[in-house]
Amino acid sequence: MTEIDGVLAGKSQSAGVERVVSSPLPTVYGDFEAVGYLDRTRGDEQVALVYGDIRGARGEGILTRLHSECLTGDAFGSRHCECGPQLTTALREIATEGRGVLIYLRGHEGRGIGLLAKLQAMKLQSEGLDTVEANLALGLPVDARDYGVGADILHDLGVRSVRLMSNNPRKREALVRNGIRVDAQVPLLIPPCDDNITYLRTKRERLDHDLPHLDAVVGHRV
């Protein structure tokens, strides 16, 4: 891991975010730099994990993951979703690439409805509703996430274009809308299990996620 031509040193402001601190972060996946930001609009604390010299590539074609916070999947290993394996796979892929960025988007729990509401929605799913129906039954948005802060962070880091690790077309659209070119969308396909196949199929059928690997799985309802 090398410092990015001083871009990580000190504080800065870019649109709606303020870079507060940068610190080395050795992990089991490799040695990252953790860059801490304050979202000046929402007040959320955000972090970008930067690997390698992204400025050496003129900030173009940078392998990037915008990862929505998911306590149950990321920390507790929930099999209800694929978030935990997506996080670890993205970090491994970035380290293998030799440079890249993972932005961990806090405030995105449960597609933006919050932890307690997400748990309520999960309870409704265990009773037969799908993930879309559960949010609506609670009187909440299907997806309340805003990826603009991710684009602001990329701008601050000097990233001009990305190869985006995502199956969600809305992430690509949000980055382009906020001035980040998406050179390619890189699939992040995690093998499904009995506990999440219905959830994943709902994401494909009702939320437009690109999940072609689910076609090979039979014996479960949509």
Side-chain angles (χ1 to χ4, degrees):
M1 168 68 193
T2 59
E3 188 93 350
I4 308 172
D5 295 335
V7 74
L8 299 184
K11 296 185 178 182
S12 75
Q13 292 187 8
S14 177
V17 297
E18 176 185 354
R19 181 171 6 112
V20 177
V21 64
S22 174
S23 173
L25 184 70
T27 76
V28 295
Y29 313 104
D31 294 338
F32 288 78
E33 192 81 5
V35 189
Y37 288 89
L38 177 65
D39 180 342
R40 292 186 288 139
T41 301
R42 294 171 52 94
D44 293 328
E45 297 175 335
Q46 307 287 2
V47 64
L49 298 187
V50 179
Y51 192 92
D53 185 2
I54 59 175
R55 293 288 287 235
R58 297 179 56 202
E60 296 182 349
I62 303 301
L63 190 62
T64 299
R65 167 74 177 164
L66 302 183
H67 189 85
S68 294
E69 176 182 27
C70 177
L71 178 68
T72 51
D74 298 339
F76 301 147
S78 169
R79 290 166 59 88
H80 179 269
C81 64
E82 80 278 42
C83 298
Q86 282 188 323
L87 176 61
T88 57
T89 299
L91 290 170
R92 289 192 183 99
E93 291 295 324
I94 288 170
T96 299
E97 175 91 359
R99 63 170 151 245
V101 179
L102 184 141
I103 299 174
Y104 194 85
L105 292 167
R106 302 186 67 207
H108 278 204
E109 190 76 58
R111 297 197 303 275
I113 64 174
L115 177 60
L116 297 183
K118 182 178 85 167
L119 294 176
Q120 290 175 317
M122 289 170 62
K123 182 176 185 296
L124 291 176
Q125 289 170 67
S126 73
E127 296 168 354
L129 298 187
D130 69 30
T131 182
V132 171
E133 294 165 345
N135 280 31
L136 294 176
L138 293 169
L140 297 170
V142 173
D143 193 338
R145 290 174 293 182
D146 181 357
Y147 300 104
V149 67
D152 288 341
I153 290 171
L154 291 172
H155 282 300
D156 183 74
L157 292 171
V159 174
R160 298 180 181 180
S161 71
V162 300
R163 287 155 43 234
L164 181 64
M165 286 188 285
S166 178
N167 311 316
N168 184 352
R170 291 178 179 83
K171 290 185 181 181
R172 179 185 191 127
E173 294 162 3
L175 288 184
V176 171
R177 188 167 59 247
N178 286 279
I180 299 293
R181 191 172 76 248
V182 178
D183 295 335
Q185 192 153 335
V186 180
L188 197 55
L189 305 177
I190 305 301
C193 65
D194 287 344
D195 294 310
N196 66 24
I197 182 61
T198 298
Y199 169 77
L200 294 176
R201 282 186 166 152
T202 301
K203 285 174 71 173
R204 183 177 71 172
E205 300 301 326
R206 304 195 65 178
L207 299 173
D208 301 322
H209 287 224
D210 188 13
L211 300 168
H213 66 311
L214 301 185
D215 292 335
V217 183
V218 298
H220 297 269
R221 70 176 180 89
V222 174

